[in-house]
Amino acid sequence: MYLQETHDKVFENNKSWATEQVAKDPDFFKKLAAGQNPEYLWIGCSDSRIPAEQITGLQPGDAFVHRNIANLVCNTDLNVMSVIEYAVKHLKVKHIVVCGHYGCGGVKAAMTPKDLGLMNPWLRNIRDVYRLHEKELDAIADEEARYERLVELNVYEQCRNVVKTAALQQSYAENGFPVIHGWVFNFRDGLLKDLNVDFETILKDIQKIYNLTA
Amino acid sequence: MSPENTFHYALSSNNAWAGYKAHQNPHFFPKLAGGQAPEILWIGCSDSRCPETTILGMQPGDVFVHRNIANIVSPTDINTTAVIEYAVAHLKVKHIVLCGHSACGGAAGALSDGRIGGVLDTWLLPLKTVRYNHAEELDAITDEKERVIRIAQLNVEAGIKVLMNNPTIREAIAERGLEVHGVFFDIGCGRIKELGCGTAHKSSSTISGDHVVRGKHGQLVFGQDGEAEIAAAQ
Ligand SMILES: [Zn+2]
Ligand SMILES: [Zn+2]
């Protein structure tokens, strides 16, 4: 029974992991059970190759995590909006990382002229990112390079979407945090690239229209 | 740690991790760059204490992931639905694992009577419904921690029902034997157990005995300047 084997392996692995943590620190789970106090909110892609904690070396308890197809932050999506609100207002995270990755299947699917049924409404947001940066993207002749740039621009736009939320604007005005970071993960070398998103400028920029601090 | 330090820490750890992985297995990243073929779709809570790939002892490439507040599965939530569609119809995962956990803030929130504010009350409505549907059982539990655990488990059962009615999942179960599992992560001991709902009604995967698999795990070591490097653990 192949399926049973993969499934059993998961429980076996989990048990080994738990035993190992206790061997290293007998109070490991006791401390975890006491509560969470993460400094990070991670908004990343569902892609199996990007487990937030493993690639950043963050430990259980360090990063609050939301993962969806192509790391999108949509204004009308109560799912991600709840995550941001909870992380900012209740957990008071200091950093919000939007992490995209080159070779993103979601971004690629959105660039395909094809009806993808149930996924259309979600992927439409990536097509809108393209439209916002149409001139720049159209000027890139190499298809692969254009697609990689779209991944970066998508991260940039999703950072802007985080900044547009009431939770972020109010907390930043009051506490001076959280700050937003845009990262891109590269499978070829396993490294994270910081896009050096200019958070202060974005904030000033969007508040002309999207100011929700009052 | 000051905000700047934690930020530096994560980027520096990533550097160390990438170096370690490439050193350990030169084919690791080229293989990852080739594509993904995960067998598991994990739907879990955003809670920082539930890092799925780590607690499952798995590697990058193994688990496709959606995490939200209180691992709620709402039939009309387009975010979760898109993840399920992509994982089941396109990647053809073999298992869907819906995981709840102890000490869940969302579950505790649903048990309180006040308004949380913002969009959270609306997001947590399915959990509130679970609470009212099981009011008698939940009210009878005197220990508050236990009550939070119980509602989180009932929430998994409710989520499994939504999953089992999803048309894409139904087709995959009928056509290729996709399995759907409801599980629970106990933060107090780090163990996952099956709740006996989904396609497998009875738990068949409880591990007995104390056999420990010793793998070659890397361990992050931090210097005082916040620089990280990875050493092979014994
Ligand atoms: Zn992706
Ligand atoms: Zn939770």
Side-chain angles (χ1 to χ4, degrees):
Chain A
M1 273 288 288
Y2 174 66
L3 279 185
Q4 194 53 49
E5 265 172 41
T6 43
H7 190 54
D8 284 346
K9 201 181 92 196
V10 163
F11 284 85
E12 191 86 24
N13 285 349
N14 165 245
K15 196 171 181 198
S16 316
W17 174 77
T19 312
E20 226 171 275
Q21 302 314 309
V22 174
K24 276 191 264 177
D25 174 6
D27 290 330
F28 183 80
F29 292 112
K30 213 191 273 172
K31 282 186 228 158
L32 267 194
Q36 65 171 332
N37 188 20
E39 300 222 348
Y40 282 88
L41 164 59
W42 175 281
I43 300 173
C45 184
S46 291
D47 193 300
S48 62
R49 297 165 290 178
I50 316 151
E53 298 82 1
Q54 284 188 359
I55 64 172
T56 54
L58 293 171
Q59 294 301 306
D62 288 344
F64 199 69
V65 176
H66 175 70
R67 287 169 64 184
N68 65 40
I69 302 288
N71 41 271
L72 295 178
V73 177
C74 312
N75 171 44
T76 51
D77 173 28
L78 284 193
N79 188 330
V80 72
M81 286 301 144
S82 302
V83 170
I84 293 173
E85 227 173 76
Y86 191 77
V88 174
K89 281 185 164 164
H90 300 268
L91 298 172
K92 305 203 181 307
V93 295
K94 307 290 181 295
H95 303 272
I96 298 180
V97 174
V98 176
C99 185
H101 65 102
Y102 299 120
C104 182
V107 173
K108 195 158 230 171
M111 287 298 92
T112 316
K114 197 181 165 194
D115 175 3
L116 290 164
L118 204 43
M119 290 178 60
N120 289 340
W122 189 254
L123 297 178
R124 160 66 190 275
N125 297 288
I126 303 168
R127 294 181 199 267
D128 290 343
V129 171
Y130 195 112
R131 186 165 163 262
L132 275 172
H133 299 273
E134 199 171 350
K135 258 196 199 140
E136 180 188 344
L137 288 164
D138 281 352
I140 303 171
D142 181 66
E143 200 190 327
E144 199 60 29
R146 199 188 318 132
Y147 168 42
E148 297 208 340
R149 183 60 186 148
L150 179 57
V151 164
E152 293 175 359
L153 290 169
N154 181 46
V155 167
Y156 182 76
E157 288 302 329
Q158 304 318 318
C159 288
R160 284 175 75 91
N161 288 343
V162 176
V163 180
K164 285 176 187 169
T165 63
L168 184 283
Q169 290 180 35
Q170 289 169 8
S171 169
Y172 192 74
E174 223 170 275
N175 314 308
F177 62 77
V179 266
I180 316 290
H181 311 277
W183 293 355
V184 179
F185 185 67
N186 192 336
F187 294 129
R188 292 196 183 87
D189 52 16
L191 291 172
L192 287 162
K193 175 174 163 188
D194 189 349
L195 296 179
N196 294 313
V197 167
D198 187 350
F199 169 60
E200 295 277 348
T201 306
I202 293 179
L203 184 65
K204 245 183 251 151
D205 233 40
I206 61 110
Q207 278 189 333
K208 187 187 142 206
I209 298 170
Y210 299 91
N211 191 334
L212 302 179
T213 48
Chain B
M1 253 186 291
S2 79
E4 266 321 298
N5 273 341
T6 20
F7 178 65
H8 182 206
Y9 164 110
L11 277 180
S12 145
S13 312
N14 165 251
N15 215 330
W17 175 82
Y20 175 74
K21 280 289 185 191
H23 170 77
Q24 201 190 26
N25 176 7
H27 303 296
F28 186 77
F29 291 117
K31 212 180 135 212
L32 272 193
Q36 64 172 334
E39 297 199 353
I40 295 173
L41 163 62
W42 171 279
I43 302 174
C45 184
S46 290
D47 193 301
S48 60
R49 297 163 296 174
C50 309
E52 72 304 316
T53 308
T54 306
I55 63 184
L56 295 177
M58 302 197 98
Q59 290 296 319
D62 289 339
V63 190
F64 199 72
V65 178
H66 176 63
R67 285 168 66 182
N68 65 39
I69 302 280
N71 46 272
I72 287 175
V73 187
S74 273
T76 54
D77 169 34
I78 202 71
N79 185 331
T80 314
T81 308
V83 172
I84 293 171
E85 192 69 13
Y86 194 80
V88 177
H90 298 268
L91 297 172
K92 304 213 180 318
V93 294
K94 298 187 170 73
H95 303 272
I96 297 178
V97 178
L98 175 60
C99 183
H101 70 100
S102 60
C104 181
L111 283 173
S112 74
D113 291 315
R115 237 180 123 128
I116 303 169
V119 297
L120 281 162
D121 295 288
T122 305
W123 175 252
L124 290 174
L125 257 182
L127 205 42
K128 281 268 183 190
T129 307
V130 167
R131 177 191 170 185
Y132 297 132
N133 285 344
H134 297 269
E136 211 174 312
E137 180 189 349
L138 291 165
D139 289 346
I141 303 171
T142 48
D143 184 83
E144 202 182 316
K145 271 187 192 161
E146 289 300 322
R147 205 180 313 126
V148 173
I149 286 176
R150 187 58 192 147
I151 193 177
Q153 290 175 342
L154 291 167
N155 178 43
V156 172
E157 283 175 22
I160 288 286
K161 279 190 194 138
V162 176
L163 291 175
M164 297 293 282
N165 284 327
N166 176 300
T168 305
I169 293 176
R170 287 176 75 100
E171 270 171 31
I173 292 172
E175 282 165 17
R176 57 183 182 84
L178 168 74
E179 292 191 8
V180 180
H181 314 269
V183 305
F184 200 75
F185 178 60
D186 183 346
I187 293 183
C189 67
R191 301 279 172 93
I192 291 173
K193 69 168 184 183
E194 288 210 80
L195 291 176
C197 50
T199 49
H201 289 284
K202 229 184 156 309
S203 166
S204 50
S205 298
T206 316
I207 305 296
S208 54
D210 285 311
H211 179 63
V212 179
V213 182
R214 283 260 158 227
K216 283 203 176 86
H217 293 248
Q219 198 170 19
L220 277 166
V221 183
F222 292 96
Q224 277 173 327
D225 54 357
E227 290 291 342
E229 57 179 61
I230 291 193
Q234 294 305 304

